[in-house]
């Protein structure tokens, strides 16, 4: 969404960036390298449990197993080649430095407990983006729209309705 908003602003009136980063620090790039290696050698199942543990809070794992099962099915249905290609692209992500040039209004949405696109990292992107909004979805990690859909939908629909 950030790349499209920056590179093709004529196609959008606003942008929503949910639980995502505009760049990755060196430690996170090394993490992508490790995951690419694991999936290349052992298949997508090698990273499924770790992914789900990062994507959802412990509370959701315990109290809403159907959501976890659904997400596990999505992860396991991803091709190894597709995952590795996506991970490789994410390693080179470099939109953060360009955010001051964004010409569209952006809503940045963070999951309160997201370990990858942390609220601090997303707030930093919002602060770098002219006229941006920043919202935190409580009781959610990386897949905030699945973990707290009511709050997520309220935030997103409010942003869309306000313009």
């Amino acid at each position: 969404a950030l790349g499209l908003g920056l590179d093709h602003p004529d196609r959008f009136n606003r942008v929503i960036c949910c639980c995502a980063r505009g760049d990755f620090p060196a430690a996170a790039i090394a993490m992508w390298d490790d995951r690419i290696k694991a999936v290349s050698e052992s298949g997508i199942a090698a990273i499924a449990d770790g992914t789900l543990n990062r994507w959802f809070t412990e509370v959701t794992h315990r109290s809403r197993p159907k959501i976890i099962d659904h997400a596990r099915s999505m992860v396991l249905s991803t091709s190894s080649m597709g995952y590795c290609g996506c991970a490789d692209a994410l390693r080179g992500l470099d939109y953060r430095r360009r955010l001051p040039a964004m010409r569209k209004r952006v809503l940045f949405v963070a999951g309160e407990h997201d370990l990858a696109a942390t609220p601090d990292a997303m707030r930093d992107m919002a602060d770098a983006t002219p006229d941006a909004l920043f919202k935190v979805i409580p009781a959610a990690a990386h897949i905030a729209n699945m973990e707290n859909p009511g709050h997520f939908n309220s935030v997103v629909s409010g942003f869309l309705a306000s313009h």
Side-chain angles (χ1 to χ4, degrees), residues 34-36 38-39 43-54 75 83:
D34 293 343
R35 290 185 193 154
I36 289 168
V39 170
I44 197 78
I47 54 93
D49 287 339
T51 297
L52 295 169
N53 288 336
R54 286 185 303 278
V75 170
Y83 179 90

Side-chain angles (χ1 to χ4, degrees), residues 58-109:
E58 192 175 313
V59 171
T60 297
H61 277 273
R62 283 192 320 265
S63 64
R64 299 167 67 198
K66 287 184 180 180
I67 289 175
I68 304 304
D69 290 344
H70 178 68
R72 179 177 279 106
S73 294
M74 290 188 317
V75 170
L76 293 175
S77 69
T78 302
S79 76
S80 293
M81 185 170 42
Y83 179 90
C84 291
C86 180
D88 187 49
L90 288 173
R91 289 180 335 159
L93 200 60
D94 192 20
Y95 295 125
R96 168 59 184 87
R97 67 180 172 79
R98 295 177 54 204
L99 292 176
M102 182 70 78
R103 297 188 345 230
K104 297 300 176 181
R105 189 130 198 240
V106 181
L107 168 64
F108 291 91
V109 180

Side-chain angles (χ1 to χ4, degrees), residues 4-156:
L4 290 170
L6 287 162
D7 294 338
H8 304 284
D10 54 310
R11 295 182 182 183
F12 305 92
N13 0 2
R14 61 198 144 228
V15 174
I16 301 173
C17 178
C18 300
C19 303
R21 297 199 50 121
D23 62 3
F24 284 99
I29 292 169
M31 171 224 41
W32 284 120
D33 291 338
D34 293 343
R35 290 185 193 154
I36 289 168
K37 182 178 181 198
V39 170
S40 295
E41 292 175 356
S42 303
I44 197 78
I47 54 93
D49 287 339
T51 297
L52 295 169
N53 288 336
R54 286 185 303 278
W55 279 5
F56 298 97
T57 62
E58 192 175 313
V59 171
T60 297
H61 277 273
R62 283 192 320 265
S63 64
R64 299 167 67 198
K66 287 184 180 180
I67 289 175
I68 304 304
D69 290 344
H70 178 68
R72 179 177 279 106
S73 294
M74 290 188 317
V75 170
L76 293 175
S77 69
T78 302
S79 76
S80 293
M81 185 170 42
Y83 179 90
C84 291
C86 180
D88 187 49
L90 288 173
R91 289 180 335 159
L93 200 60
D94 192 20
Y95 295 125
R96 168 59 184 87
R97 67 180 172 79
R98 295 177 54 204
L99 292 176
M102 182 70 78
R103 297 188 345 230
K104 297 300 176 181
R105 189 130 198 240
V106 181
L107 168 64
F108 291 91
V109 180
E112 177 184 21
H113 303 291
D114 196 335
L115 301 175
T118 65
D120 286 345
M122 297 215 54
R123 185 179 295 108
D124 174 67
M125 291 191 302
D127 289 346
T129 306
D131 198 30
L133 297 172
F134 172 72
K135 299 289 183 179
V136 174
I137 306 300
H142 193 60
I143 312 294
N145 62 314
M146 288 177 71
E147 201 158 19
N148 190 343
H151 197 94
F152 179 88
N153 291 342
S154 176
V155 165
V156 169

